[in-house]
Amino acid sequence: MRPSLGGLLEGVGRGAGIALRAGFAPAVMGARLAWRRVGLDDPHLPEARWDWSNGAKILLDEIFFASEIALAEVLPAGERARATTELRDADAWLEASGHLQDPSGYHADPPPIERAIFERRRIAGFSYQHMRFESGFAPHPGEPGRERWLSYEPNLEAHAWVMRHRGPERPWALCIPGYRMGSPLVDFTGFRARWLYRELGLNVAIPVLPLHGPRSIGRRNGDGFFTGDFLSTLHAQTQAVWDVRRLLGWLKQRGAPSVVAHGVSLGGYTAALVASVEGDLDGVVAGIPAIDVPRLMSSHVPAPLRFVVDRIGFPSAIVERVLRPVSPLAFEPRVPHGRRFLYAGLVDRLTPPDHARDLWLHWDRPRAHFYQGGHVSFFFEPGVRDLLRDAFTMTAAPGPVAT
């Protein structure tokens, strides 16, 4: 079948947009390096150190950010009117429904998983099971954007990567990936799954976030989560919490003695929110968490552009209200204080450490590790591994298993 003229024009326009953004990416990175300060002057945080090590970690973050600027999907101009109308309608609906005053009522308790499909897989030395089950999530009846969200068919099925020991049931590490994750190799590597499974002796479950991996609906993994359509961000994050809670319930039903959730970046945000609405979680580790989407996005957008975004129909005050039901700061945590943990980089250029600081204060200052490093470098930081070991071994995991 020959492509339509409209399809060709759309493809050409998309390609031109990518090329234009790719051309600007080095300039954006240079401007950010010159414009943004290193670290925060904050009495609650250690002082960020300026040396070659942190300089290299900052550069690593900025390279990652530049690649995202070059390739990220943004809200098409033709969708802007629909998105602004839905945003304002959602604001009114949330107010009338009482969910702005009491966000906890926005999160319904998910039913148990009745049927799951498992397929044995292997990749790069990792043997695992690919778990699939119906998500079952839907925005509330009458909620703006409900029908559109339910039309994203790949997103209706939930997925998870599972590594489970034979024999008696063991504690579980429930690892929640970050933005643009969602493939087995990336997720296993990013969470040190082999270390969790073999050295700490844990079972491991890694859910795939909405719109990621096999649930993608765009050109790239994760497209639709942060494109500027803020109602989609609300629904995606609410569904992420729903799916994680369903998976947690499934683990508990099958005899898991304990489950500790560990999330990184967007996953850290999700883990913190799950710990706020779920009473059956035994521990939580929020890693390099982004807990305030409007603040996060504004930190990456120059002031003149923020003014334009506000004027074309996305006022920051309305965006903040609509996303309040998915803010961990709007809830009291349900995980006991001694089982809350977090870590963050003092020179993180993707998720500034003030996000983790605010969560730490809101959680009544539990154990935290603020390391000299950035967003991407969390994987290499020895202090992060030490904190994770303590957070997971406190669940009485059995000893190491033979490799």
Side-chain angles (χ1 to χ4, degrees):
M1 178 183 292
R2 297 180 61 185
S4 67
L5 178 60
L8 286 172
L9 291 176
E10 182 180 358
V12 170
R14 177 176 290 167
I18 291 173
L20 184 62
R21 280 179 280 156
F24 276 113
V28 169
M29 186 170 71
R32 283 167 55 86
L33 287 171
W35 159 51
R36 297 189 63 187
R37 293 184 301 115
V38 175
L40 299 173
D41 297 325
D42 192 297
H44 299 296
L45 297 177
E47 184 177 356
R49 186 176 63 238
W50 175 248
D51 56 18
W52 288 109
S53 175
N54 268 351
K57 293 172 182 178
I58 288 172
L59 184 60
L60 191 61
D61 279 3
E62 292 295 346
I63 291 172
F64 182 91
F65 183 81
S67 68
E68 183 62 27
I69 287 294
L71 298 173
E73 190 77 12
V74 295
L75 184 66
E79 289 288 299
R80 191 177 302 145
R82 187 271 307 161
T84 57
T85 298
E86 282 189 353
L87 180 69
R88 293 180 181 277
D89 289 347
D91 182 37
W93 182 88
L94 289 167
E95 175 70 36
S97 302
H99 296 314
L100 295 182
Q101 294 76 20
D102 180 17
S104 62
Y106 185 74
H107 296 271
D109 292 331
I113 296 174
E114 296 182 354
R115 180 176 180 268
I117 299 172
F118 292 87
E119 300 176 21
R120 292 193 174 277
R121 301 284 180 86
R122 186 175 180 84
I123 184 170
F126 291 98
S127 295
Y128 69 99
Q129 290 182 307
H130 179 178
M131 177 183 183
R132 293 185 290 130
F133 58 93
E134 182 183 9
S135 168
F137 170 80
H140 294 270
E143 183 176 355
R146 172 186 167 94
E147 289 72 21
R148 177 179 53 80
W149 188 256
L150 294 177
S151 72
Y152 301 150
E153 292 188 8
N155 194 49
L156 299 178
E157 185 174 52
H159 300 254
W161 327 125
V162 177
M163 301 172 66
R164 185 176 185 177
H165 292 277
R166 295 181 179 179
E169 192 58 72
R170 298 173 181 236
W172 284 81
L174 180 55
C175 301
I176 308 175
Y179 187 50
R180 302 293 191 198
M181 296 176 72
S183 65
L185 184 58
V186 171
D187 293 349
F188 289 142
T189 303
F191 282 108
R192 300 184 179 93
R194 185 176 282 115
W195 175 70
L196 294 173
Y197 182 78
R198 291 181 174 174
E199 186 171 332
L200 299 189
L202 301 168
N203 292 331
V204 179
I206 307 178
V208 177
L209 291 180
L211 308 182
H212 286 74
R215 311 178 71 173
S216 297
I217 61 170
R219 288 184 304 110
R220 297 180 67 210
N221 181 34
D223 280 353
F225 219 109
F226 296 121
T227 59
D229 188 340
F230 295 103
L231 193 56
S232 285
T233 300
L234 172 67
H235 291 156
Q237 191 58 26
T238 307
Q239 184 170 16
V241 171
W242 169 281
D243 291 344
V244 169
R245 295 178 70 194
R246 291 201 79 193
L247 181 57
L248 169 64
W250 184 86
L251 298 176
K252 289 285 191 173
Q253 287 169 5
R254 277 147 186 80
S258 63
V259 180
V260 173
H262 169 215
V264 296
S265 194
L266 174 59
Y269 168 27
T270 306
L273 192 53
V274 171
S276 302
V277 300
E278 174 58 58
D280 210 16
L281 191 63
D282 298 285
V284 60
V285 184
I288 47 175
I291 61 165
D292 186 329
V293 173
R295 191 203 314 176
L296 179 69
M297 298 185 77
S298 67
S299 70
H300 294 299
V301 177
L305 187 54
R306 292 201 298 270
F307 176 80
V308 172
V309 169
D310 189 276
R311 290 292 176 171
I312 64 175
F314 299 100
S316 58
I318 293 181
V319 172
E320 290 174 6
R321 286 199 300 271
V322 167
L323 294 180
R324 176 172 165 76
V326 290
S327 169
L329 303 183
F331 301 83
E332 290 302 318
R334 301 186 65 182
V335 172
H337 183 271
R339 297 192 171 211
R340 307 171 201 159
F341 303 83
L342 60 86
Y343 61 86
L346 291 169
V347 295
D348 191 327
R349 306 285 279 195
L350 301 180
T351 304
D354 58 295
H355 288 253
R357 175 207 62 199
D358 288 354
L359 182 63
W360 177 68
L361 292 172
H362 183 68
W363 279 2
D364 195 21
R365 309 186 186 203
R367 179 175 170 184
H369 177 57
F370 291 96
Y371 58 87
Q372 295 290 342
H375 197 80
V376 179
S377 75
F378 87 92
F379 183 80
F380 309 104
E381 305 291 346
V384 171
R385 178 177 288 209
D386 292 342
L387 180 141
L388 290 173
R389 183 189 296 274
D390 291 348
F392 284 118
T393 55
M394 56 167 260
T395 64
V401 297
T403 59

